[in-house]
Amino acid sequence: MDGTGTGKNRTQTSMNGKLRLIATKYNQLPVQAKSSLWFAICNMLQRGLGMLTTPIFTRLFTTEEYGVFSLYNAWEQLLILLLALPLFQALYNLYVKYEDKNMVLSAVVGLNITVCLFWGLVYFVLRDWVVRLLNMPEMLCDLMFMQLLVQPIITNWTVHQSFFYNYKKMAMVSLSSSFISVIASLAAVLLASSNLVEHRVGANLCVIGVIAFILLSQVIKSNKRLYNREIWLFTLAFCIPLLPHFLSEFILSTSDRMMIGYFCTKTDVALYSVAYSFAMLLTLLTSSINASFVPFQTRKISERDYAKLSPLAIGVYIFLAFALSALMLLGPEVIFIFGGKKYESAIWVIPPICLGVFFSYMFQIFARVEQLFEKKLYLVSATLISALLNIILNMIFIPIYGYVAAAYTTLVCYICLCFTHYYFYIKVCNQCLEGARIYDVKLIVNVSMGLVGFTSLIYVTYSYADIVRYAMLVLLAGFAIANLKRIKLILSFN
């Protein structure tokens, strides 16, 4: 007994020592690092909440209702981009230009409110036509235009806080609004007997509406002047030219749901959306990798230390390929958890979605070289080409093959994006690096082809052989355990 007690005490002491060490290291971090850390934590928790609540709402909604809800989210993202405009993008430039930061925030928020009120008036006049265009119930369209008014206020305030490293305020507002919104939305749906989607959206709007009103009051209290002609003109001149780039990114990531809604049924939208929720797991993985890899990549390119960067980049690709393979092997189980038996046919879009995540990660290593050397035209051109291709392919293949085609057209477009960015990457190397090549592209191609081939095998196991699928998963797990030290070394980016 005494020996056991002593062992427990030692374990407890060791644990307390580790916690104190972590707390000490955290306290020693500069405020910039703490701000970045909490911004990443908030972003991951918000995504995680969305992912965790998906299995609940897919069971409370019918497939058609969940399809309507997914369409609402897609249209909301598009209209906030096109009508509310990404005005927050100009804040950092304005903060450099003007000394009175509160005046800048107040003016940009005022511009956002003015723009949204204008489009709200247009919507009021053309309401019947807009409802037919969006292909959604009138109430949802009304709620969407109310959301346009309040969401940019929160976004601008959040950017303002991040500029001054006020991570405590930002984290408190971000996390509390996310948790309260989830609880309110769930309660509203459970208490409703009909119009479940409207109650879900309305509850969320009430929460963010109250928060936006409080934040707007603080902004006005700091500076009552919501109009500043010079700031308004600069902001519009800065943001409007960026619209094609942001719109192209939206088309690649979200427009497929809208086109499925147009060519197919709301149930098809639901099936595709649940499978795409699976991608949230994958983006959490890639975002975690990028949090460490992007600064390392930028530093090594600046130092021209390509000998160390290239092998680690290949190592990251191999790790990502294995992780995606494991998630694909678990695809049927994940779909069952996310949506239940009524969504089981969505498993067929998991392989192309996973491959799309892989290639979307791949093009970024080339694009960041263009970004580092400020080749903005290359970045915009590549995204525009792929976005236009995505629209054309979706218009051709979705009416023929249904919602599954959207996953494959998006995959093709991400592959196209890789080739386009690789072409521009070569040009940047020739122009700025005296012809030096940063990455071993042959190895990257070999890893990519290996993943594509393995994905084809996984695809077959979905229909015929669960036991084979589980055996492949065990082999992957065994390989990962055997190479655990090497994986840790790769992901340490030292």
Side-chain angles (χ1 to χ4, degrees), residues 116 309 493:
C116 293
L309 174 59
F493 301 113

Side-chain angles (χ1 to χ4, degrees), residues 98-259:
Y98 294 94
E99 190 172 332
D100 190 342
K101 310 300 189 277
N102 289 328
M103 177 192 71
V104 170
L105 176 64
S106 180
V108 173
V109 168
L111 176 58
N112 248 137
I113 292 171
T114 304
V115 169
C116 293
L117 286 175
F118 168 77
W119 287 115
L121 181 62
V122 172
Y123 168 69
F124 179 76
V125 174
L126 302 175
R127 187 169 181 264
D128 292 339
W129 180 81
V130 174
V131 168
R132 288 195 300 272
L133 173 68
L134 301 186
N135 191 25
M136 287 192 304
E138 290 182 0
M139 178 60 74
L140 279 180
C141 294
D142 295 342
L143 293 170
M144 184 183 299
F145 276 85
M146 293 179 199
Q147 182 105 0
L148 288 183
L149 183 62
V150 298
Q151 188 63 55
I153 296 171
I154 298 174
T155 303
N156 285 311
W157 181 88
T158 303
V159 172
H160 182 76
Q161 301 309 314
S162 67
F163 181 83
F164 290 102
Y165 307 116
N166 294 329
Y167 60 91
K168 291 180 181 179
K169 279 186 181 180
M170 180 190 69
M172 184 180 70
V173 171
S174 177
L175 295 179
S176 61
S177 64
S178 298
F179 280 106
I180 294 170
S181 177
V182 166
I183 293 168
S185 300
L186 186 57
V189 171
L190 289 171
L191 293 171
S193 56
S194 60
N195 299 323
L196 301 188
V197 179
E198 286 85 344
H199 282 83
R200 164 76 173 85
V201 172
N204 177 68
L205 179 60
C206 287
V207 173
I208 66 169
V210 170
I211 292 171
F213 178 78
I214 295 170
L215 298 180
L216 178 60
S217 301
Q218 290 183 1
V219 170
I220 294 174
K221 187 178 179 181
S222 299
N223 191 300
K224 294 180 175 61
R225 189 180 175 189
L226 293 175
Y227 173 73
N228 184 305
R229 184 176 181 274
E230 187 177 331
I231 290 176
W232 280 28
L233 290 175
F234 178 89
T235 304
L236 290 172
F238 182 87
C239 294
I240 290 175
L242 292 174
L243 271 180
H245 175 66
F246 290 118
L247 184 59
S248 299
E249 288 186 336
F250 169 84
I251 288 170
L252 281 172
S253 64
T254 311
S255 68
D256 39 16
R257 279 174 278 173
M258 297 160 66
M259 297 189 78

